[in-house]
Amino acid sequence: MKSIVKKMFLKQALAAVGLMALVACETVQTTQSGAVGVDRQQHMAVPAEALEQAAREEYAKLMAEERSKGALNRNAAQVERVRAIANRLVPQTVVFRPDARAWAWEVNVLTSPEVNAWCMPGGKMAVYTGLIEKLQITDDELAAVMGHEIAHALREHARERASEQAVAGTLISVGAAVLGVGDLGQKTAEYAYMGLLGLPNSRRHETEADRVGVELAARAGYDPRAAVTLWQKMGQLGGGEPIKFLSTHPSQTDRLNDLTAYSQRVMPLYEQSRKHR
């Protein structure tokens, strides 16, 4: 009987928390769809201003640390190259969201063997020298990487993930407390959430960023097909790819197929851009 009462109370508690979470969430259309047709609505429980402020503070802290190590913008030629590409990509963001042109964009190059690049909310970017040097990256391929990372910021994927985790964390904590399952039970619930919802959402974010990224590159006059050669190079770095179900990225095959299709879709934009350069 106690078990039945506990389950009934859990249902009521979760329903109440779920209702509060839904009320707190805002349904938004962060970007216009563009030629690639990314038009999924998103549910946000975290204010955009709060995340952008945190991003500005974290970025400033990180750049200060890199400067103290002598790793910030060490190679002037690389910095000039990266910023020149950014200067062509950023104006194209207005196609997806007009307010992005007014963001306080900042682009820096970090000396690190890591093959990486990222763009924080509000347009704070970094490109690692490992990405440039290990891949012997072309300008078109670099534009594909940077366009992809800019797309994450335009779509506010970080805010969406934070919102999902905030709502899920609340539901999981309430459920664990009511059932008395303790830390182990709560951890199990968290892993279940990541497997059933968290990771698939991350893969969806990656696909959206791929598609928006190739359009940004094409509109900026960079060959969108370079996104395909970029990920082919990524696949040749070695180490083997993780099991698809547990990966936050699409499988190599799925990604290449999708990029091939969408790069072809935006080829007319690329050709049009080339005529005006």
Side-chain angles (χ1 to χ4, degrees), residues 122-137:
K124 305 299 186 185
M125 297 185 66
V127 174
Y128 291 61
T129 57
L131 175 75
I132 298 171
E133 296 165 359
K134 289 184 179 180
L135 296 184
Q136 297 184 353
I137 204 164

Side-chain angles (χ1 to χ4, degrees), residues 42-186:
Q42 297 158 280
H43 304 288
M44 305 296 195
V46 176
E49 298 78 9
L51 206 61
E52 288 178 16
Q53 176 63 28
R56 285 193 295 271
E57 293 174 0
E58 184 62 27
Y59 189 80
K61 178 182 176 182
L62 178 59
M63 293 304 111
E65 290 174 354
E66 295 298 316
R67 184 181 294 109
S68 69
K69 295 188 297 186
L72 179 65
N73 299 328
R74 183 186 296 177
N75 185 315
Q78 288 180 339
V79 175
E80 182 179 2
R81 180 188 180 197
V82 168
R83 288 179 176 171
I85 293 171
N87 287 340
R88 285 171 57 176
L89 289 171
V90 169
Q92 310 310 318
T93 61
V94 298
V95 171
F96 291 96
R97 51 184 302 168
D99 65 314
R101 185 70 183 271
W103 287 358
W105 292 89
E106 188 174 347
V107 185
N108 290 292
V109 177
L110 306 181
T111 299
S112 166
E114 189 175 349
V115 178
N116 197 15
W118 43 261
C119 183
M120 288 183 174
K124 305 299 186 185
M125 297 185 66
V127 174
Y128 291 61
T129 57
L131 175 75
I132 298 171
E133 296 165 359
K134 289 184 179 180
L135 296 184
Q136 297 184 353
I137 204 164
T138 67
D139 283 359
D140 291 320
E141 291 168 344
L142 190 49
V145 176
M146 294 172 67
H148 173 96
E149 298 306 326
I150 288 171
H152 278 308
L154 296 177
R155 290 290 292 160
E156 298 186 48
H157 286 151
R159 181 183 172 205
E160 187 175 16
R161 286 196 303 273
S163 298
E164 291 169 351
Q165 290 167 4
V167 172
T170 301
L171 293 171
I172 290 170
S173 296
V174 170
V178 171
L179 289 176
V181 294
D183 291 341
L184 180 59
Q186 184 164 343

Side-chain angles (χ1 to χ4, degrees), residues 13-35:
L14 291 179
V17 174
L19 180 60
M20 288 187 291
L22 288 174
V23 170
C25 278
E26 174 189 9
T27 300
V28 300
Q29 188 79 28
T30 55
T31 61
Q32 297 173 18
S33 61

